[in-house]
Amino acid sequence: MYQQYFEMQALTWRATQPIQQDAILIGNQVIQHDGLISKRYVYPTHEYWCTAISDGVSRSPKADKASKAVLNSVLAQSQAKQHVDLQHIQDDLSTALAASSKTYSASATLALVSHASPQGFVKIQHVGDSRVYLFSDCQQKWYALTKDHNFLNEMADNGEIDIIIGQQYASFYYMLSHCFCADSLHEVPEFSPKEQYLTDGDALLICSDGVYDVLQCSDWQPLLPETTLKTWLIEMKNALNQKYAFDNVSMILIRLTKQGQ
């Protein structure tokens, strides 16, 4: 008899930046560290869990504090009601940081995956340009599940431009159109969560932009059944290092698998 379960593990790395502006939420802990591989967590499919990455927007003051505040709100909400409201995160961030001139306008992104049902569905929420990717065990490929909240994608969604794969656009168009900001007047749309169904061997990677800016998902290694999460994460970090990764790197790898009972 076999029982399905979710296993997950995280890696965070400062790379060449002077400060770590990423934060991770895993195992009901908010972590901000210059270089760390978390323990491996295992959850039966009937258990609720929530895991996330927040990336401080480097152009804003005290971006490291913003990412931690965002995830502290996520953790508190998920523990209280197994639901995360985006505007609630925005309100909590403003309460925590907007009153001080040193932290006013501190900003951060979010990519979050949670699970509350036994049917193999996970819920994905995101704001900004932290992303969630799917590894299809059937197709042995990685695919992006989220689309960045930036002006380029917003214009494409409105039919104003056609995005041509491989074409370069002016840097302005990649600026974020939505993020969390420590400002009481700032609002975040309550984007509808995305649901994704997973089967045995499928995996998700939550990551900050320090990952995909350096290495596109078409170049990522498959996650083979015999490969441990820790091994894959370390090999990914080594690949990023060989590409001279400069930005903070954070990854949370989640796999649906089964074990004999």
Side-chain angles (χ1 to χ4, degrees):
M1 179 180 178
Y2 291 93
Q3 176 182 339
Q4 287 184 314
Y5 64 94
F6 291 95
E7 57 173 348
M8 64 184 68
Q9 198 159 11
L11 181 150
T12 186
W13 174 41
R14 182 167 56 87
T16 63
Q17 293 298 303
I19 190 170
Q20 173 62 276
Q21 296 178 333
D22 291 356
I24 60 175
L25 167 60
I26 189 169
N28 292 325
Q29 298 179 74
V30 174
I31 301 169
Q32 192 167 57
H33 199 285
D34 285 350
L36 174 77
I37 296 179
S38 77
K39 64 175 286 187
R40 172 177 167 268
Y41 294 89
V42 177
Y43 297 93
T45 53
H46 64 269
E47 283 190 21
Y48 172 80
W49 51 262
C50 177
T51 187
I53 285 175
S54 181
D55 181 3
V57 178
S58 60
R59 294 182 298 275
S60 71
K62 303 297 182 181
D64 56 322
K65 294 185 181 297
S67 59
K68 286 190 71 174
V70 163
L71 292 189
N72 282 332
S73 176
V74 170
L75 177 59
Q77 288 190 64
S78 65
Q79 288 183 323
K81 56 185 179 180
Q82 298 189 357
H83 172 74
V84 176
D85 180 89
L86 300 180
Q87 186 58 42
H88 192 153
I89 298 173
Q90 169 59 36
D91 294 341
D92 285 348
L93 175 63
S94 291
T95 299
L97 301 180
S100 169
S101 60
K102 293 182 179 180
T103 53
Y104 174 76
S105 79
S107 303
T109 68
L110 174 70
L112 178 155
V113 178
S114 59
H115 171 77
S117 67
Q119 284 79 34
F121 283 96
V122 295
K123 184 165 67 174
I124 297 167
Q125 296 169 272
H126 86 290
V127 174
D129 60 358
S130 294
R131 295 184 184 176
V132 180
Y133 289 84
L134 167 71
F135 175 71
S136 169
D137 185 57
C138 177
Q139 300 183 39
Q140 291 290 294
K141 289 184 179 180
W142 287 95
Y143 301 91
L145 293 179
T146 60
K147 186 164 59 174
D148 296 351
H149 293 129
N150 59 32
F151 290 109
L152 181 66
N153 287 329
E154 193 171 277
M155 293 173 68
D157 290 343
N158 292 334
E160 299 173 36
I161 60 170
D162 290 324
I163 296 179
I164 301 174
I165 296 176
Q167 179 172 320
Q168 295 297 311
Y169 298 88
S171 59
F172 162 81
Y173 295 105
Y174 295 99
M175 291 178 61
L176 296 181
S177 54
H178 296 292
C179 65
F180 299 102
C181 179
D183 180 342
S184 60
L185 298 179
H186 187 74
E187 294 184 356
V188 174
E190 193 61 42
F191 299 109
S192 298
K194 177 184 177 68
E195 285 196 337
Q196 179 66 41
Y197 181 72
L198 303 180
T199 60
D200 287 336
D202 288 349
L204 298 171
L205 185 78
I206 313 172
C207 66
S208 56
D209 61 353
V211 176
Y212 63 79
D213 278 348
V214 176
L215 203 60
Q216 295 293 315
C217 69
S218 56
D219 296 323
W220 299 356
Q221 292 298 312
L223 180 58
L224 302 176
E226 63 271 19
T227 303
T228 66
L229 304 186
K230 183 177 181 179
T231 296
W232 192 93
L233 289 167
I234 291 174
E235 290 178 350
M236 183 67 154
K237 176 181 177 291
N238 291 339
L240 291 167
N241 199 25
Q242 290 173 6
K243 292 286 186 177
Y244 304 103
F246 58 94
D247 198 3
N248 301 156
V249 167
S250 291
M251 300 177 282
I252 301 174
L253 185 59
I254 306 160
R255 175 164 57 186
L256 179 63
T257 186
K258 59 187 178 182
Q259 62 180 353
Q261 294 292 307

